[in-house]
């Protein structure tokens, strides 16, 4: 989990591939590039864009300009976003970059026995939105997928909210949703991470990608992470020391051999209880 402020950027590295899930926001491009340079990454085999909001695709133009990108994946839903149109124009103009779309049931090969099982969106949803039969709702059209490596797994949720969590739970065998790591939905918003979803995913570690709380436009003006999901994590039996937030913990590196895994935050800080106390205090004002 790269520390890129108010946005998402998750770097996955196997022995043979570099994969990036989301690219942070436009004004966080310098942070993104710095993090990638620290990891000695100059080439991406795959970039997955969960949905076309700026805090998820804002770094694409920089990556396409200064890095080697072999293939880009998105949810296949046509957007009028300027950032979306720009990156589509760029990859369509470069014959060396392949563009593919993802839907529930697809499986991507990340190399070395690592796979990415796509859980959302459904092909029916994509078609309905593109045909104008259903109003677009980018958060709830996010690519949701589960990275699997032997007995290790990570649930990536984009900005998917409660309704998507419910749909995924209803459409899949609960055993196939269990994941050691959960990427907190929608930057730790109250709109995601229901108790029911947590009961089937059963994460041991939660990753929250969100910036420093601020009143400045473009930053974390939302107060992420919210009280409800944090309390849900604790009620689900997740230790507060296993909940990581980029603003408090910096970049978080997880390494797994497919059986065991380790978590190494850039900054060691157990911030959850204090943040919950502050949230409760502010809610009474």
């Amino acid at each position: 989990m790269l520390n890129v402020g108010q946005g998402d950027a998750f770097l996955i590295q196997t022995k043979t591939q570099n994969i990036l899930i989301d690219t942070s926001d436009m004004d966080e491009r310098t942070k993104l590039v710095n993090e990638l340079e620290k990891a000695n990454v100059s080439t991406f085999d795959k970039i997955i864009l969960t949905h076309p909001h700026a805090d998820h695709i804002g770094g694409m133009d920089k990556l396409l300009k200064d890095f080697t990108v072999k293939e880009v994946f998105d949810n296949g839903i046509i957007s009028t976003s300027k950032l979306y149109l720009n990156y589509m124009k760029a990859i369509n103009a470069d014959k060396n970059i392949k563009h593919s779309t993802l839907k529930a049931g697809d499986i991507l090969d990340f190399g070395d026995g690592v796979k990415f099982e796509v859980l959302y969106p459904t092909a029916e949803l994509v078609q309905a939105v593109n045909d104008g039969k259903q109003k677009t709702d980018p958060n709830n059209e996010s690519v949701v997928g589960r990275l699997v490596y032997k007995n290790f797994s990570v649930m990536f949720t984009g900005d998917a909210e409660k309704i998507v969590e419910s749909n995924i739970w209803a459409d899949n065998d609960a055993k196939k949703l269990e994941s050691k790591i959960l990427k907190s939905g929608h930057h730790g918003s109250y709109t995601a991470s229901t108790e029911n979803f947590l009961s089937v995913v059963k994460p041991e570690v939660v990753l929250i990608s969100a910036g420093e709380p601020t009143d400045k436009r473009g930053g974390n003006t939302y107060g992420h992470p919210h009280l409800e999901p944090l309390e849900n994590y604790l009620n689900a039996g997740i230790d507060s020391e296993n909940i990581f937030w980029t603003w408090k913990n910096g970049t978080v590196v997880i390494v797994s051999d497919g059986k065991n895994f380790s978590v190494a935050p850039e900054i060691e800080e157990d911030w959850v209880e204090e943040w919950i106390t502050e949230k409760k205090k502010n809610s009474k004002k």
Side-chain angles (χ1 to χ4, degrees), residues 20 22 98 101 111 115 158 169 221 277:
L20 191 67
D22 287 331
K98 183 179 179 182
T101 60
K115 60 183 179 178
W169 183 21
T221 58
T277 299

Side-chain angles (χ1 to χ4, degrees), residues 95-141:
K95 294 187 176 5
N96 293 317
I97 301 176
K98 183 179 179 182
H99 174 245
S100 304
T101 60
L102 297 173
K103 64 183 183 305
D106 289 344
I107 298 177
L108 296 184
D109 179 10
F110 284 177
D112 301 296
V114 182
K115 60 183 179 178
F116 185 75
E117 302 170 344
V118 182
L119 300 168
Y120 207 81
T122 63
E124 291 78 12
L125 172 63
V126 173
Q127 192 67 50
V129 174
N130 284 341
D131 288 347
K133 296 179 180 178
Q134 182 168 323
K135 185 178 179 180
T136 188
D137 179 5
N139 284 345
N140 289 319
E141 295 154 7

Side-chain angles (χ1 to χ4, degrees), residues 10-28:
F10 289 80
L11 175 65
I12 300 161
Q13 294 182 287
T14 66
K15 290 180 181 179
T16 57
Q17 293 188 35
N18 290 321
I19 302 102
L20 191 67
I21 299 181
D22 287 331
T23 67
S24 78
D25 210 336
M26 296 173 60
D27 55 0
E28 306 289 7

Side-chain angles (χ1 to χ4, degrees), residues 46-65:
K46 297 176 176 70
I47 294 180
I48 298 173
L49 303 173
T50 61
H51 64 295
H53 280 160
D55 56 335
H56 293 258
I57 70 169
M60 270 303 289
D61 64 339
K62 183 68 174 176
L63 297 181
L64 291 170
K65 179 181 178 182

